[in-house]
Amino acid sequence: MQAFGSIKRIEPAGIDGLIVYFERPTLTQTNQAVQAMKLALKKHYPQWLNAAIPGYDSLLVLFDLQKADVHTVYQALRNAVPEQGSEDKTQHFELPVWYQAPQANDFDLVCEHTGLSQEEIIDLHTQSDFQVFTIGFAPGFGYMGELPEALSCPRLATPRNRVPKGAVAIADRQTAVYPSESPGGWHLLGLCPTPLFNLDWEQPVKLQPGDTVRFYAIDEQHYRALCNE
Amino acid sequence: MSNITVKIVDSGMLALVVDAGRSVNMQEVGFCVSGAADIRSYHLVNWLCGDPRHSATFEVIGTFCFSVDAACTIAVGGPDLSLHINDSPAQAWQTQQLAAGDNVTVTPAKLGTRSYVGIAGKWALPYVAQSQSIVMREHAGGLNNAGKPLKANDEIVVDTLQAATHTHRHLKDREIPDYSLNAPLEMIPGYQVKTFEGWQLPLFLASEYQVTHQIDRMGYRLKGQPIEPQISTMYSEGINFGAIQLPPDGQPIVMMSDRQTLGGYPKIGCVAEYDIYRLAQAVPGDIITFSKVDIDNARSKWLLRNRLDRQLFEGKN
């Protein structure tokens, strides 16, 4: 299948799926093209569209085999009009973090890897907006980035069996907040009191791909007050 | 309301509640699809006990035993198994009526296969993303929405008044699924297939793979001729049902119902949906081969089987 525009490759992904790979000069732009195509495809709720699952640079389009084939999907991709900067549905969140909370503190390791001081780490983690590239791994786990190169840190050699709910973590040039307690292999910077996932909510997941997030530092007292809200 | 209580007497090796799975589009926000691992047997059992298409059933490995405190309609199916109602042999793959106090035991002939047990009616269990499936990894579904497998003495309430019919249904011999692994599993080459060296796909298709002990509802790890990906780093991307991942050791992992939504290992293609049920019923030591099918022919085959199923489900009672 012929690539076009910012699409560099289209491949089968199972009997009812096509995976579409995008390429633009930066990862943030590439991911914006992914999100724009997802919105464009979903705009008219075509009956054959079962799901459009964004990755970093890809969109997995799943279709109903009774209503469409790969050629239907390819035509829809061709005809889609991705609106660049269609940010009407995306949101911006300011998330508080109690950095160096004892339950989630890998600052020693991060300092060692990056050569940065504790203050510099917090500064780099709070000084810019991060984009939510995609949601996966676990319900509501948002992959955000890109971190400044200076803060880039590899994954732990051995993943932890238990990372507390709300833990703020970094790996490579990504950052995330663990929405529920789970295993995890990222370095932990602190705790965020803002609930991001609740099965009882109408939309159980707060962060959505395309959203932007800015972290800000709070102290333990403030953290406890926000937890009790 | 006509509530009955189903009491687990013996949960065997693993007893879960499953249905047809969660809303597929919830994968966009990180929910795995879940649902029956052998979706084919599940749909047949569910139909035999007269339930709507997405109702809860048990998916069990090993000997499973339960009792009911009031009359109800059940059906049991899966690879070769024996069914006993109060110590009397009974037939799988057909509707069975139970009376108050009846005890049911399901014993598979081969350890490790999955049996499905439907009980007609609406099960009083929570829904997550429009599904009652238990997802252990996410601590979701089942009693108290804790995501725990069932254990002895657990009790599940089923509202049988909403059961669709009490009509007797059964499968003819030719309608019982063929679980044999003699025929290759059909796979659709795709994803990163073009990044493998040209002879790696033919090598994969010409090789025999053994099912290892590392198999669960997330994925089935196979062992055999390594197929080595040329690329080592790639961005995480959406994983479809049946995707064949090749980690750096070159040993394939086929992704199943409880697979994570995103992953970063190279993939050489995907097992066609209509063949995944045979893999879901494979046990450690079984030998598997693959053959390739293009995506249009795969769809034709799927549509044909779907039509035969519809004739069965809608054509007779």
Side-chain angles (χ1 to χ4, degrees):
Chain A
M1 254 168 244
Q2 196 84 41
F4 59 91
S6 54
I7 294 175
K8 72 167 174 190
R9 213 154 51 86
I10 304 174
E11 293 288 344
I15 198 168
D16 61 346
L18 275 187
I19 187 155
V20 186
Y21 297 95
F22 295 79
E23 189 168 57
R24 289 179 63 200
T26 67
L27 181 58
T28 300
Q29 290 171 337
T30 301
N31 188 261
Q32 280 165 353
V34 172
Q35 305 301 344
M37 180 58 87
K38 180 187 164 187
L39 288 179
L41 276 183
K42 290 193 129 186
K43 196 167 186 180
H44 302 293
Y45 299 100
Q47 285 201 339
W48 52 262
L49 182 62
N50 281 343
I53 304 164
Y56 276 76
D57 66 341
S58 65
L59 187 65
L60 174 59
V61 182
L62 300 180
F63 57 93
D64 183 334
L65 286 165
Q66 292 193 71
K67 298 183 181 126
D69 59 17
V70 287
H71 310 285
T72 322
V73 179
Y74 185 72
Q75 273 309 316
L77 291 167
R78 272 278 186 192
N79 296 335
V81 188
E83 294 161 41
Q84 290 308 325
S86 52
E87 280 129 13
D88 46 325
K89 280 195 176 164
T90 65
Q91 289 179 277
H92 178 73
F93 295 94
E94 304 265 329
L95 296 180
V97 183
W98 171 25
Y99 287 98
Q100 295 176 291
Q103 305 91 316
N105 184 358
D106 289 331
F107 266 72
D108 288 350
L109 289 169
V110 178
C111 290
E112 198 177 306
H113 276 299
T114 60
L116 298 168
S117 69
Q118 300 183 348
E119 294 72 31
E120 286 169 328
I121 291 168
I122 296 173
D123 284 349
L124 286 176
H125 199 251
T126 51
Q127 75 184 13
S128 50
D129 287 354
F130 298 124
Q131 186 178 334
V132 180
F133 287 127
T134 186
I135 312 287
F137 168 68
F141 186 95
Y143 292 84
M144 295 174 247
E146 287 186 291
L147 295 179
E149 186 69 54
L151 193 50
S152 178
C153 215
R155 285 168 177 75
L156 297 172
T158 310
R160 286 187 176 84
N161 289 327
R162 187 186 159 277
V163 173
K165 176 183 172 177
V168 178
I170 58 171
D172 302 328
R173 294 185 62 190
Q174 310 163 91
T175 184
V177 182
Y178 284 82
S180 323
E181 185 187 305
S182 80
W186 293 21
H187 285 96
L188 309 182
L189 296 186
L191 290 174
C192 170
T194 312
L196 296 174
F197 169 68
N198 188 330
L199 282 173
D200 298 332
W201 295 341
E202 191 180 339
Q203 180 187 292
V205 167
K206 187 168 278 179
L207 298 178
Q208 300 287 322
D211 288 349
T212 51
V213 170
R214 173 77 73 109
F215 294 103
Y216 66 95
I218 55 169
D219 59 17
E220 178 175 2
Q221 200 180 1
H222 194 176
Y223 172 83
R224 299 211 177 279
L226 288 171
C227 281
N228 290 331
E229 264 180 19
Chain B
M1 291 286 280
S2 175
N3 284 340
I4 67 157
T5 301
V6 179
K7 185 173 179 180
I8 310 297
V9 177
D10 182 349
S11 59
M13 289 175 66
L14 180 66
L16 296 172
V17 174
V18 296
D19 52 19
R22 293 156 165 188
S23 292
V24 178
N25 66 0
M26 290 299 281
Q27 288 175 100
E28 294 168 11
V29 286
F31 288 83
C32 76
V33 178
S34 189
D38 169 0
I39 198 82
R40 178 150 181 75
S41 303
Y42 158 79
H43 278 305
L44 291 166
V45 164
N46 198 38
W47 173 76
L48 287 168
C49 71
D51 268 348
R53 270 185 79 81
H54 182 40
S55 303
T57 72
F58 294 117
E59 177 182 286
V60 297
I61 296 177
T63 297
F64 179 68
C65 181
F66 67 96
S67 64
V68 297
D69 71 344
C72 61
T73 303
I74 70 158
V76 176
D80 194 10
L81 58 85
S82 68
L83 169 63
H84 286 84
I85 300 175
N86 302 327
D87 301 325
S88 309
Q91 289 296 312
W93 296 120
Q94 60 175 269
T95 316
Q96 297 283 353
Q97 303 298 339
L98 298 187
D102 276 356
N103 227 288
V104 177
T105 306
V106 180
T107 310
K110 192 158 70 167
L111 191 62
T113 62
R114 299 170 199 274
S115 313
Y116 291 85
V117 180
I119 299 170
K122 195 170 166 51
W123 299 26
L125 290 173
Y127 285 81
V128 173
Q130 290 83 53
S131 166
Q132 292 181 303
S133 293
I134 293 175
V135 182
M136 294 181 280
R137 187 164 57 85
E138 285 177 15
H139 311 292
L143 293 167
N144 306 314
N145 212 0
K148 294 232 160 58
L150 299 165
K151 56 186 194 306
N153 298 319
D154 278 353
E155 293 184 342
I156 292 173
V157 173
V158 177
D159 178 3
T160 58
L161 201 64
Q162 296 188 22
T165 66
H166 285 272
T167 319
H168 183 83
R169 289 171 169 172
H170 73 280
L171 293 189
K172 298 191 182 84
D173 282 349
R174 65 177 165 80
E175 291 164 344
I176 294 173
D178 177 4
Y179 299 100
S180 153
L181 293 165
N182 294 336
L185 300 178
E186 294 195 333
M187 62 84 76
I188 301 136
Y191 280 109
Q192 284 74 34
V193 64
K194 286 174 191 155
T195 68
F196 289 81
E197 285 191 54
W199 47 278
Q200 293 281 297
L201 179 62
L203 183 63
F204 175 68
L205 299 174
S207 303
E208 288 189 339
Y209 288 94
Q210 192 177 50
V211 177
T212 69
H213 288 273
Q214 291 167 288
I215 57 173
D216 60 22
R217 290 174 46 86
M218 274 182 81
Y220 276 40
R221 199 179 275 264
L222 309 178
K223 192 175 79 186
Q225 170 65 45
I227 302 297
E228 279 155 24
Q230 292 299 298
I231 48 171
S232 56
T233 57
M234 52 174 275
Y235 290 119
S236 288
E237 62 183 24
I239 304 175
N240 203 358
F241 196 19
I244 304 164
Q245 289 190 337
L246 290 157
D249 69 3
Q251 300 294 330
I253 306 170
V254 183
M255 303 307 286
M256 303 299 272
S257 323
D258 282 2
R259 66 195 177 280
Q260 70 273 26
T261 58
L262 299 176
Y265 285 132
K267 296 172 273 307
I268 201 165
C270 253
V271 178
E273 192 269 353
Y274 51 75
D275 267 351
I276 296 175
Y277 81 95
R278 291 194 288 139
L279 181 60
Q281 294 291 6
V283 301
D286 281 350
I287 299 293
I288 283 169
T289 57
F290 297 89
S291 64
K292 72 172 174 179
V293 59
D294 77 59
I295 195 166
D296 287 317
N297 283 329
R299 177 170 178 265
S300 305
K301 289 193 180 186
W302 187 93
L303 287 174
L304 178 63
R305 203 203 67 197
N306 185 258
R307 192 159 150 193
L308 293 174
D309 282 351
R310 285 221 309 269
Q311 279 173 7
L312 173 66
F313 294 155
E314 294 160 17
K316 64 177 190 190
N317 272 320

mmCIF file of all heavy atoms in Angstrom, chain A residues 37-69:
data_model
loop_
_atom_site.group_PDB
_atom_site.id
_atom_site.type_symbol
_atom_site.label_atom_id
_atom_site.label_comp_id
_atom_site.label_asym_id
_atom_site.label_seq_id
_atom_site.Cartn_x
_atom_site.Cartn_y
_atom_site.Cartn_z
ATOM 1 N N MET A 37 -4.483 12.131 12.711
ATOM 2 C CA MET A 37 -5.122 11.104 11.873
ATOM 3 C C MET A 37 -6.175 10.345 12.676
ATOM 4 O O MET A 37 -7.248 10.035 12.169
ATOM 5 C CB MET A 37 -4.067 10.150 11.313
ATOM 6 C CG MET A 37 -4.634 9.055 10.430
ATOM 7 S SD MET A 37 -5.573 9.687 9.000
ATOM 8 C CE MET A 37 -4.263 9.904 7.793
ATOM 9 N N LYS A 38 -5.882 10.067 13.949
ATOM 10 C CA LYS A 38 -6.863 9.371 14.780
ATOM 11 C C LYS A 38 -8.158 10.189 14.860
ATOM 12 O O LYS A 38 -9.255 9.661 14.657
ATOM 13 C CB LYS A 38 -6.282 9.150 16.179
ATOM 14 C CG LYS A 38 -7.234 8.429 17.099
ATOM 15 C CD LYS A 38 -6.735 8.355 18.539
ATOM 16 C CE LYS A 38 -7.892 7.997 19.449
ATOM 17 N NZ LYS A 38 -7.527 8.060 20.864
ATOM 18 N N LEU A 39 -8.018 11.481 15.137
ATOM 19 C CA LEU A 39 -9.209 12.334 15.235
ATOM 20 C C LEU A 39 -9.942 12.401 13.899
ATOM 21 O O LEU A 39 -11.173 12.336 13.848
ATOM 22 C CB LEU A 39 -8.812 13.744 15.673
ATOM 23 C CG LEU A 39 -8.386 13.910 17.133
ATOM 24 C CD1 LEU A 39 -8.008 15.362 17.403
ATOM 25 C CD2 LEU A 39 -9.503 13.482 18.078
ATOM 26 N N ALA A 40 -9.182 12.533 12.810
ATOM 27 C CA ALA A 40 -9.807 12.654 11.490
ATOM 28 C C ALA A 40 -10.590 11.385 11.147
ATOM 29 O O ALA A 40 -11.698 11.450 10.606
ATOM 30 C CB ALA A 40 -8.740 12.931 10.430
ATOM 31 N N LEU A 41 -10.008 10.227 11.467
ATOM 32 C CA LEU A 41 -10.698 8.959 11.167
ATOM 33 C C LEU A 41 -11.978 8.824 11.984
ATOM 34 O O LEU A 41 -12.989 8.314 11.525
ATOM 35 C CB LEU A 41 -9.788 7.762 11.495
ATOM 36 C CG LEU A 41 -8.773 7.315 10.467
ATOM 37 C CD1 LEU A 41 -8.053 6.078 10.974
ATOM 38 C CD2 LEU A 41 -9.428 7.021 9.118
ATOM 39 N N LYS A 42 -11.907 9.282 13.242
ATOM 40 C CA LYS A 42 -13.040 9.070 14.146
ATOM 41 C C LYS A 42 -14.117 10.133 13.994
ATOM 42 O O LYS A 42 -15.198 10.005 14.576
ATOM 43 C CB LYS A 42 -12.537 9.078 15.594
ATOM 44 C CG LYS A 42 -11.702 7.868 15.945
ATOM 45 C CD LYS A 42 -11.501 7.761 17.435
ATOM 46 C CE LYS A 42 -11.871 6.379 17.914
ATOM 47 N NZ LYS A 42 -11.839 6.248 19.361
ATOM 48 N N LYS A 43 -13.806 11.159 13.228
ATOM 49 C CA LYS A 43 -14.678 12.329 13.172
ATOM 50 C C LYS A 43 -16.125 11.958 12.843
ATOM 51 O O LYS A 43 -17.052 12.439 13.462
ATOM 52 C CB LYS A 43 -14.137 13.310 12.135
ATOM 53 C CG LYS A 43 -14.718 14.688 12.250
ATOM 54 C CD LYS A 43 -13.911 15.663 11.419
ATOM 55 C CE LYS A 43 -14.415 17.075 11.658
ATOM 56 N NZ LYS A 43 -13.641 18.040 10.869
ATOM 57 N N HIS A 44 -16.286 11.071 11.873
ATOM 58 C CA HIS A 44 -17.642 10.748 11.438
ATOM 59 C C HIS A 44 -18.106 9.385 11.945
ATOM 60 O O HIS A 44 -19.066 8.818 11.430
ATOM 61 C CB HIS A 44 -17.738 10.822 9.914
ATOM 62 C CG HIS A 44 -17.356 12.160 9.370
ATOM 63 N ND1 HIS A 44 -18.097 13.293 9.606
ATOM 64 C CD2 HIS A 44 -16.281 12.557 8.645
ATOM 65 C CE1 HIS A 44 -17.507 14.327 9.038
ATOM 66 N NE2 HIS A 44 -16.397 13.906 8.453
ATOM 67 N N TYR A 45 -17.401 8.850 12.949
ATOM 68 C CA TYR A 45 -17.752 7.554 13.533
ATOM 69 C C TYR A 45 -18.119 6.510 12.479
ATOM 70 O O TYR A 45 -19.228 5.990 12.488
ATOM 71 C CB TYR A 45 -18.915 7.709 14.522
ATOM 72 C CG TYR A 45 -18.603 8.616 15.669
ATOM 73 C CD1 TYR A 45 -19.054 9.934 15.674
ATOM 74 C CD2 TYR A 45 -17.840 8.173 16.743
ATOM 75 C CE1 TYR A 45 -18.751 10.794 16.722
ATOM 76 C CE2 TYR A 45 -17.531 9.023 17.792
ATOM 77 C CZ TYR A 45 -17.994 10.326 17.774
ATOM 78 O OH TYR A 45 -17.688 11.167 18.805
ATOM 79 N N PRO A 46 -17.211 6.228 11.533
ATOM 80 C CA PRO A 46 -17.565 5.210 10.532
ATOM 81 C C PRO A 46 -17.893 3.887 11.227
ATOM 82 O O PRO A 46 -17.239 3.518 12.209
ATOM 83 C CB PRO A 46 -16.296 5.096 9.679
ATOM 84 C CG PRO A 46 -15.197 5.694 10.483
ATOM 85 C CD PRO A 46 -15.826 6.690 11.392
ATOM 86 N N GLN A 47 -18.920 3.212 10.720
ATOM 87 C CA GLN A 47 -19.415 2.013 11.402
ATOM 88 C C GLN A 47 -18.392 0.887 11.420
ATOM 89 O O GLN A 47 -18.460 0.017 12.269
ATOM 90 C CB GLN A 47 -20.684 1.540 10.718
ATOM 91 C CG GLN A 47 -21.871 2.404 11.045
ATOM 92 C CD GLN A 47 -23.175 1.685 10.797
ATOM 93 O OE1 GLN A 47 -23.206 0.722 10.032
ATOM 94 N NE2 GLN A 47 -24.233 2.131 11.438
ATOM 95 N N TRP A 48 -17.473 0.895 10.455
ATOM 96 C CA TRP A 48 -16.507 -0.193 10.398
ATOM 97 C C TRP A 48 -15.354 -0.026 11.362
ATOM 98 O O TRP A 48 -14.590 -0.936 11.598
ATOM 99 C CB TRP A 48 -15.952 -0.334 8.970
ATOM 100 C CG TRP A 48 -15.409 0.945 8.390
ATOM 101 C CD1 TRP A 48 -16.060 1.798 7.546
ATOM 102 C CD2 TRP A 48 -14.114 1.527 8.630
ATOM 103 N NE1 TRP A 48 -15.249 2.870 7.240
ATOM 104 C CE2 TRP A 48 -14.055 2.725 7.890
ATOM 105 C CE3 TRP A 48 -13.007 1.148 9.378
ATOM 106 C CZ2 TRP A 48 -12.941 3.562 7.894
ATOM 107 C CZ3 TRP A 48 -11.881 1.970 9.389
ATOM 108 C CH2 TRP A 48 -11.859 3.167 8.652
ATOM 109 N N LEU A 49 -15.207 1.180 11.954
ATOM 110 C CA LEU A 49 -14.024 1.461 12.775
ATOM 111 C C LEU A 49 -14.208 0.928 14.198
ATOM 112 O O LEU A 49 -15.036 1.416 14.955
ATOM 113 C CB LEU A 49 -13.764 2.979 12.798
ATOM 114 C CG LEU A 49 -12.516 3.430 13.573
ATOM 115 C CD1 LEU A 49 -11.244 2.854 12.974
ATOM 116 C CD2 LEU A 49 -12.436 4.960 13.605
ATOM 117 N N ASN A 50 -13.423 -0.094 14.567
ATOM 118 C CA ASN A 50 -13.519 -0.654 15.920
ATOM 119 C C ASN A 50 -12.646 0.090 16.915
ATOM 120 O O ASN A 50 -13.035 0.271 18.066
ATOM 121 C CB ASN A 50 -13.132 -2.134 15.920
ATOM 122 C CG ASN A 50 -14.249 -3.018 15.413
ATOM 123 O OD1 ASN A 50 -15.413 -2.594 15.357
ATOM 124 N ND2 ASN A 50 -13.924 -4.234 15.038
ATOM 125 N N ALA A 51 -11.450 0.491 16.488
ATOM 126 C CA ALA A 51 -10.547 1.206 17.386
ATOM 127 C C ALA A 51 -9.423 1.813 16.575
ATOM 128 O O ALA A 51 -9.074 1.313 15.500
ATOM 129 C CB ALA A 51 -9.969 0.274 18.449
ATOM 130 N N ALA A 52 -8.846 2.905 17.087
ATOM 131 C CA ALA A 52 -7.648 3.508 16.501
ATOM 132 C C ALA A 52 -6.689 3.723 17.660
ATOM 133 O O ALA A 52 -6.884 4.607 18.482
ATOM 134 C CB ALA A 52 -7.990 4.830 15.809
ATOM 135 N N ILE A 53 -5.691 2.841 17.762
ATOM 136 C CA ILE A 53 -4.818 2.798 18.939
ATOM 137 C C ILE A 53 -3.493 3.462 18.612
ATOM 138 O O ILE A 53 -2.690 2.939 17.833
ATOM 139 C CB ILE A 53 -4.590 1.335 19.379
ATOM 140 C CG1 ILE A 53 -5.940 0.654 19.636
ATOM 141 C CG2 ILE A 53 -3.693 1.273 20.616
ATOM 142 C CD1 ILE A 53 -5.857 -0.857 19.700
ATOM 143 N N PRO A 54 -3.251 4.653 19.180
ATOM 144 C CA PRO A 54 -2.009 5.350 18.865
ATOM 145 C C PRO A 54 -0.817 4.770 19.612
ATOM 146 O O PRO A 54 -0.935 4.400 20.784
ATOM 147 C CB PRO A 54 -2.277 6.790 19.315
ATOM 148 C CG PRO A 54 -3.427 6.729 20.254
ATOM 149 C CD PRO A 54 -4.103 5.404 20.104
ATOM 150 N N GLY A 55 0.319 4.655 18.924
ATOM 151 C CA GLY A 55 1.601 4.409 19.571
ATOM 152 C C GLY A 55 2.360 5.718 19.526
ATOM 153 O O GLY A 55 1.750 6.778 19.395
ATOM 154 N N TYR A 56 3.694 5.670 19.613
ATOM 155 C CA TYR A 56 4.466 6.901 19.495
ATOM 156 C C TYR A 56 4.421 7.434 18.074
ATOM 157 O O TYR A 56 4.129 8.592 17.829
ATOM 158 C CB TYR A 56 5.931 6.630 19.866
ATOM 159 C CG TYR A 56 6.199 6.674 21.324
ATOM 160 C CD1 TYR A 56 5.819 5.626 22.146
ATOM 161 C CD2 TYR A 56 6.826 7.762 21.892
ATOM 162 C CE1 TYR A 56 6.073 5.664 23.500
ATOM 163 C CE2 TYR A 56 7.094 7.803 23.243
ATOM 164 C CZ TYR A 56 6.717 6.761 24.044
ATOM 165 O OH TYR A 56 6.965 6.816 25.376
ATOM 166 N N ASP A 57 4.720 6.542 17.113
ATOM 167 C CA ASP A 57 4.830 6.978 15.718
ATOM 168 C C ASP A 57 3.883 6.185 14.827
ATOM 169 O O ASP A 57 4.055 6.145 13.617
ATOM 170 C CB ASP A 57 6.282 6.818 15.215
ATOM 171 C CG ASP A 57 6.721 5.358 15.137
ATOM 172 O OD1 ASP A 57 6.080 4.503 15.793
ATOM 173 O OD2 ASP A 57 7.698 5.058 14.424
ATOM 174 N N SER A 58 2.897 5.510 15.447
ATOM 175 C CA SER A 58 2.040 4.628 14.661
ATOM 176 C C SER A 58 0.591 4.714 15.127
ATOM 177 O O SER A 58 0.306 5.152 16.241
ATOM 178 C CB SER A 58 2.516 3.177 14.808
ATOM 179 O OG SER A 58 2.350 2.764 16.151
ATOM 180 N N LEU A 59 -0.298 4.280 14.235
ATOM 181 C CA LEU A 59 -1.715 4.201 14.582
ATOM 182 C C LEU A 59 -2.207 2.829 14.125
ATOM 183 O O LEU A 59 -2.125 2.502 12.937
ATOM 184 C CB LEU A 59 -2.494 5.317 13.869
ATOM 185 C CG LEU A 59 -3.966 5.466 14.257
ATOM 186 C CD1 LEU A 59 -4.097 5.891 15.725
ATOM 187 C CD2 LEU A 59 -4.661 6.504 13.367
ATOM 188 N N LEU A 60 -2.666 2.015 15.080
ATOM 189 C CA LEU A 60 -3.215 0.703 14.747
ATOM 190 C C LEU A 60 -4.717 0.867 14.543
ATOM 191 O O LEU A 60 -5.447 1.213 15.470
ATOM 192 C CB LEU A 60 -2.928 -0.297 15.871
ATOM 193 C CG LEU A 60 -3.568 -1.685 15.744
ATOM 194 C CD1 LEU A 60 -3.147 -2.388 14.468
ATOM 195 C CD2 LEU A 60 -3.224 -2.553 16.954
ATOM 196 N N VAL A 61 -5.177 0.649 13.294
ATOM 197 C CA VAL A 61 -6.586 0.834 12.967
ATOM 198 C C VAL A 61 -7.245 -0.540 12.905
ATOM 199 O O VAL A 61 -6.859 -1.387 12.090
ATOM 200 C CB VAL A 61 -6.745 1.559 11.614
ATOM 201 C CG1 VAL A 61 -8.220 1.801 11.312
ATOM 202 C CG2 VAL A 61 -5.975 2.874 11.619
ATOM 203 N N LEU A 62 -8.195 -0.786 13.790
ATOM 204 C CA LEU A 62 -8.896 -2.073 13.811
ATOM 205 C C LEU A 62 -10.287 -1.888 13.221
ATOM 206 O O LEU A 62 -10.995 -0.941 13.561
ATOM 207 C CB LEU A 62 -9.009 -2.602 15.249
ATOM 208 C CG LEU A 62 -7.686 -2.845 15.974
ATOM 209 C CD1 LEU A 62 -7.934 -3.380 17.388
ATOM 210 C CD2 LEU A 62 -6.812 -3.819 15.189
ATOM 211 N N PHE A 63 -10.677 -2.815 12.317
ATOM 212 C CA PHE A 63 -11.941 -2.625 11.615
ATOM 213 C C PHE A 63 -12.827 -3.863 11.734
ATOM 214 O O PHE A 63 -12.372 -4.963 12.056
ATOM 215 C CB PHE A 63 -11.704 -2.243 10.156
ATOM 216 C CG PHE A 63 -10.860 -3.242 9.386
ATOM 217 C CD1 PHE A 63 -11.454 -4.269 8.659
ATOM 218 C CD2 PHE A 63 -9.474 -3.135 9.381
ATOM 219 C CE1 PHE A 63 -10.682 -5.175 7.943
ATOM 220 C CE2 PHE A 63 -8.695 -4.044 8.674
ATOM 221 C CZ PHE A 63 -9.304 -5.063 7.960
ATOM 222 N N ASP A 64 -14.114 -3.665 11.484
ATOM 223 C CA ASP A 64 -15.106 -4.736 11.538
ATOM 224 C C ASP A 64 -15.063 -5.486 10.204
ATOM 225 O O ASP A 64 -15.361 -4.912 9.153
ATOM 226 C CB ASP A 64 -16.485 -4.108 11.768
ATOM 227 C CG ASP A 64 -17.578 -5.160 11.907
ATOM 228 O OD1 ASP A 64 -17.425 -6.275 11.361
ATOM 229 O OD2 ASP A 64 -18.602 -4.850 12.547
ATOM 230 N N LEU A 65 -14.700 -6.770 10.258
ATOM 231 C CA LEU A 65 -14.505 -7.550 9.032
ATOM 232 C C LEU A 65 -15.787 -7.693 8.214
ATOM 233 O O LEU A 65 -15.739 -7.981 7.023
ATOM 234 C CB LEU A 65 -13.980 -8.940 9.391
ATOM 235 C CG LEU A 65 -12.514 -8.988 9.826
ATOM 236 C CD1 LEU A 65 -12.201 -10.301 10.502
ATOM 237 C CD2 LEU A 65 -11.615 -8.793 8.611
ATOM 238 N N GLN A 66 -16.926 -7.529 8.852
ATOM 239 C CA GLN A 66 -18.173 -7.665 8.098
ATOM 240 C C GLN A 66 -18.505 -6.399 7.328
ATOM 241 O O GLN A 66 -19.315 -6.421 6.409
ATOM 242 C CB GLN A 66 -19.319 -7.996 9.048
ATOM 243 C CG GLN A 66 -19.171 -9.368 9.650
ATOM 244 C CD GLN A 66 -20.440 -9.813 10.319
ATOM 245 O OE1 GLN A 66 -21.428 -10.118 9.654
ATOM 246 N NE2 GLN A 66 -20.428 -9.827 11.629
ATOM 247 N N LYS A 67 -17.913 -5.285 7.741
ATOM 248 C CA LYS A 67 -18.292 -4.005 7.136
ATOM 249 C C LYS A 67 -17.193 -3.383 6.295
ATOM 250 O O LYS A 67 -17.434 -2.391 5.605
ATOM 251 C CB LYS A 67 -18.703 -3.016 8.236
ATOM 252 C CG LYS A 67 -19.918 -3.499 9.032
ATOM 253 C CD LYS A 67 -20.351 -2.496 10.065
ATOM 254 C CE LYS A 67 -21.539 -3.022 10.857
ATOM 255 N NZ LYS A 67 -21.303 -2.996 12.295
ATOM 256 N N ALA A 68 -15.983 -3.916 6.368
ATOM 257 C CA ALA A 68 -14.870 -3.266 5.661
ATOM 258 C C ALA A 68 -13.768 -4.268 5.367
ATOM 259 O O ALA A 68 -13.723 -5.357 5.943
ATOM 260 C CB ALA A 68 -14.314 -2.121 6.500
ATOM 261 N N ASP A 69 -12.884 -3.889 4.447
ATOM 262 C CA ASP A 69 -11.640 -4.627 4.251
ATOM 263 C C ASP A 69 -10.499 -3.606 4.257
ATOM 264 O O ASP A 69 -10.733 -2.410 4.471
ATOM 265 C CB ASP A 69 -11.667 -5.465 2.966
ATOM 266 C CG ASP A 69 -11.883 -4.618 1.718
ATOM 267 O OD1 ASP A 69 -11.695 -3.385 1.784
ATOM 268 O OD2 ASP A 69 -12.240 -5.190 0.678
#
